[in-house]
Each structure stands twice: as structure tokens, then as C-alpha cells.
Amino acid sequence: MTIELTSDDLEYFSELYARYSKYSKPTNIQKLITTLFEKQDKTKEDVKNIKQLIKAEKLAQRNFQAQQKINKLLREEKNEERKKIERKKFVLGGAFYNALTSNMRFNDSISYEQIFEKMLKDGLIGERDKDSLKEFIKTPQNVTSPSF
């Protein structure tokens, strides 16, 4: 019984050679593939090794594609979670903005303006964001201290 390469095997082996022969730092397996491809008189043992290498490369390729699919699903899931969080921030920010601009009060005891001042004082609003919110920031003489 002779071991022969099918036309599909030869085509795939040629593709591997074309790819790996361009590498500046090929792995040992990649070097073996290029060496076996360039060898003129292949023995039965060489053909057997080529078949095993092709099988291993196809398996590695399937594993890589499966990993890519998993990574894509994880990335999509993470993006969906991020979108949900961003939406919550947007809605809550809009609600607070409406309460602040409408001079609404929280539990009829404290204004949202006072809550905003407390957030500023406690550092919940960063320095770089204060400039875009300056229309809501009262000057020190107008500030009323919220009682929490």
C-alpha cells in the first residue's frame, strides 16, 4: 500500500509553503513544511509526515477560526453590556438635567440644585467637566449648603 497525497492535499501543502516561505522567523513546524516541500525525491516517510502536518495545520486552522468566533461573541456581548450602561447614564443624566433645570425638589426638602452642588463638592463631577456645566455652578456667595 503506497501513501500518496491527494490533489487537495497538494494544493493545501502548496498554500502552506507559499505562506510559510515568506516568514522571517518561522517555527520549527513551518520550517519542516518548507523543507519537505522543497525536497525533490520524497520518501514514503516524507509523504506520511506531510499528511500528518497537513492534518495538524487544518486542525490548528479550525481551532483558530473557532477561537475567532468565540472572541467575536464575547466582544459583541461586552459591547451590548456597555451600550446598556451608556443608555442608563444617558437616561439618568437626562432625568437629572430636567430636574435641575426645572427647579424641582427631592422629597420636597432639598432642591436638585443643592444635590448638584453636593456632587461638585464631593468630587463626583470632574474638574474637566465643570467648564461645560458652569451654567449650573453657583458662585460662592450664592451657594446654599445642602443638609444630608
Side-chain angles (χ1 to χ4, degrees):
M1 178 176 148
T2 60
I3 300 174
E4 300 226 2
L5 294 174
T6 64
S7 60
D8 287 344
D9 286 345
L10 284 172
E11 183 180 336
Y12 189 69
F13 192 50
S14 295
E15 290 172 13
L16 292 176
Y17 173 76
R19 185 180 332 144
Y20 296 153
S21 62
K22 295 176 187 173
Y23 288 6
S24 60
K25 295 182 180 180
T27 65
N28 290 338
I29 300 288
Q30 294 163 349
K31 287 178 191 175
L32 181 59
I33 289 171
T34 56
T35 303
L36 285 172
F37 186 86
E38 292 168 352
K39 189 173 180 184
Q40 294 300 321
D41 298 320
K42 295 172 181 60
T43 66
K44 288 181 182 180
E45 190 65 31
D46 292 337
V47 173
K48 184 178 174 185
N49 289 338
I50 291 169
K51 282 192 139 323
Q52 289 175 339
L53 288 168
I54 289 172
K55 186 177 179 180
E57 286 293 320
K58 286 182 177 180
L59 180 62
Q61 186 176 18
R62 280 194 303 272
N63 287 339
F64 177 75
Q65 290 169 342
Q67 188 62 47
Q68 292 294 92
K69 287 180 182 178
I70 290 169
N71 289 344
K72 182 181 177 194
L73 289 173
L74 291 173
R75 203 172 32 254
E76 288 171 354
E77 186 178 314
K78 188 176 181 180
N79 282 340
E80 283 301 313
E81 190 62 32
R82 182 192 50 79
K83 286 178 184 178
K84 286 178 186 176
I85 291 170
E86 291 298 319
R87 178 71 184 156
K88 288 176 186 177
K89 289 178 184 179
F90 180 77
V91 169
L92 290 172
F96 188 78
Y97 176 81
N98 285 336
L100 185 62
T101 56
S102 301
N103 294 320
M104 296 178 85
R105 299 188 71 72
F106 182 76
N107 284 341
D108 293 327
S109 60
I110 186 170
S111 70
Y112 280 92
E113 186 176 278
Q114 290 172 310
I115 294 172
F116 178 72
E117 291 168 7
K118 177 79 169 137
M119 291 168 69
L120 283 170
K121 182 181 170 196
D122 291 348
L124 294 173
I125 298 172
E127 287 297 320
R128 70 179 198 164
D129 295 323
K130 285 182 181 179
D131 190 46
S132 64
L133 301 171
K134 62 185 169 191
E135 67 185 275
F136 302 109
I137 300 174
K138 302 294 181 197
T139 56
Q141 62 268 22
N142 296 350
V143 174
T144 56
S145 202
S147 54
F148 286 108

